[in-house]
Amino acid sequence: MRPRIENTKNKTIGIITTSTPIDGLSEEQIEKAYTYLRDKGWKIKESPVCRKREGYLSGSVEERAKYLHDFVVDKEIDVVMAFWGGTNTNQLLSYLDYELIKKNPKIYVGYSDTSALLLAITKKTNLITYHGPAAITYSKPDLMEYCYEYFEKAIEKDQWSIKEPEKYAAVLYFLREEDSDKRIFKINEGMKIFREGTCKGEVVVSNLQTLLVLA
């Protein structure tokens, strides 16, 4: 099953943390992400678990599961988006009510460690999930509109073509002592084709480190 939103205006994104809390970020960074999404027409609802802390985690595993379930049944929420990743989303998997998730289909999106949640939901409920932007994506400096454009296409359209971006930034800008509010872009030279041909099949996208944890 693939939930779809025909018009994203005035729909609601529920922000969750499945591993690491957001209390280490400045309010300015957090609000930058939310403001970007609001400017695109979204409403934002942040889960209380985002600002909870137990050790290095965003609350206990029971709390993280509870607040996720709250969003599952919340009729106002259309998209459940991770704020970012972490290292321990896998702890949640045996605590989740997959039948509840299946009966209340929504769009689930995130990356990195959130892969564990996305893969589990798809496997247990047959609901298509999205390995894509997290909220923190929209607080980065020099944000490329490409990042939002394809997120919107994926949740709105039945089919679409992917065009490569003209540029990319692969440097860890936040580790630089100077100009950490900027990213260094490189020209995208395009895909390298190692074997020509056509194929058709199901695409499973994930994070390798998270897959190894699950294994």
Side-chain angles (χ1 to χ4, degrees), residues 138-181:
Y138 301 113
S139 75
K140 295 185 190 292
D142 304 319
L143 178 65
M144 292 173 60
E145 282 294 312
Y146 183 94
C147 297
Y148 181 81
E149 178 188 346
Y150 279 91
F151 162 63
E152 194 172 69
K153 283 182 178 180
I155 64 175
E156 280 190 338
K157 299 182 181 298
D158 285 326
Q159 48 186 310
W160 67 97
S161 298
I162 299 175
K163 283 182 62 177
E164 295 179 65
E166 296 177 357
K167 59 183 180 179
Y168 68 95
V171 292
L172 301 177
Y173 65 91
F174 47 85
L175 296 181
R176 297 204 306 267
E177 292 185 8
E178 296 182 1
D179 295 328
S180 61
D181 60 339

Side-chain angles (χ1 to χ4, degrees), residues 90 93 116 119 206-215:
N90 60 297
L93 304 189
L119 290 170
S206 192
N207 174 275
L208 181 58
Q209 181 176 329
T210 304
L211 287 175
L212 291 173
V213 170
L214 294 177

Side-chain angles (χ1 to χ4, degrees), residues 2-211:
R2 179 174 169 251
R4 198 161 57 84
I5 294 178
E6 292 185 5
N7 184 353
T8 61
K9 298 297 182 287
N10 292 316
K11 298 297 193 299
T12 300
I13 294 178
I15 304 293
I16 60 167
T17 47
T18 54
S19 182
T20 305
I22 65 174
D23 60 357
L25 282 177
S26 69
E27 284 301 318
E28 182 182 6
Q29 286 176 293
I30 296 168
E31 193 54 36
K32 183 179 179 182
Y34 294 167
T35 297
Y36 180 91
L37 291 167
R38 288 190 187 107
D39 287 346
K40 294 293 186 183
W42 292 96
K43 297 176 183 177
I44 299 296
K45 187 171 184 177
E46 183 186 282
S47 171
V49 79
C50 292
R51 298 174 192 261
K52 282 185 170 286
R53 176 173 286 276
E54 183 166 301
Y56 61 93
L57 294 169
S58 185
S60 66
V61 62
E62 291 86 359
E63 285 176 314
R64 282 176 278 152
K66 176 206 176 302
Y67 285 114
L68 177 57
H69 288 147
D70 287 349
F71 272 16
V72 169
V73 297
D74 189 330
K75 300 298 184 185
E76 293 183 358
I77 292 177
D78 305 281
V79 174
V80 177
M81 177 183 283
F83 188 89
W84 54 9
T87 53
N88 287 94
T89 298
N90 60 297
Q91 293 176 331
L92 287 176
L93 304 189
S94 60
Y95 288 80
L96 296 182
D97 185 337
Y98 294 102
E99 194 59 34
L100 186 73
I101 294 170
K102 187 174 183 179
K103 288 179 180 177
N104 297 273
K106 298 180 189 291
I107 291 167
Y108 293 87
V109 60
Y111 61 45
S112 190
D113 187 60
T114 314
S115 299
L117 174 67
L118 302 177
L119 290 170
I121 289 175
T122 297
K123 178 69 176 178
K124 296 283 192 177
T125 70
N126 203 33
L127 188 69
I128 291 176
T129 54
Y130 296 85
H131 191 276
I136 190 68
T137 302
Y138 301 113
S139 75
K140 295 185 190 292
D142 304 319
L143 178 65
M144 292 173 60
E145 282 294 312
Y146 183 94
C147 297
Y148 181 81
E149 178 188 346
Y150 279 91
F151 162 63
E152 194 172 69
K153 283 182 178 180
I155 64 175
E156 280 190 338
K157 299 182 181 298
D158 285 326
Q159 48 186 310
W160 67 97
S161 298
I162 299 175
K163 283 182 62 177
E164 295 179 65
E166 296 177 357
K167 59 183 180 179
Y168 68 95
V171 292
L172 301 177
Y173 65 91
F174 47 85
L175 296 181
R176 297 204 306 267
E177 292 185 8
E178 296 182 1
D179 295 328
S180 61
D181 60 339
K182 298 177 182 176
R183 290 197 286 178
I184 299 171
F185 287 98
K186 300 178 182 179
I187 299 299
N188 183 10
E189 297 179 356
M191 295 183 185
K192 294 180 180 178
I193 299 173
F194 295 97
R195 180 179 295 178
E196 292 189 7
T198 59
C199 64
K200 183 178 180 181
E202 183 178 354
V203 177
V204 178
V205 184
S206 192
N207 174 275
L208 181 58
Q209 181 176 329
T210 304
L211 287 175

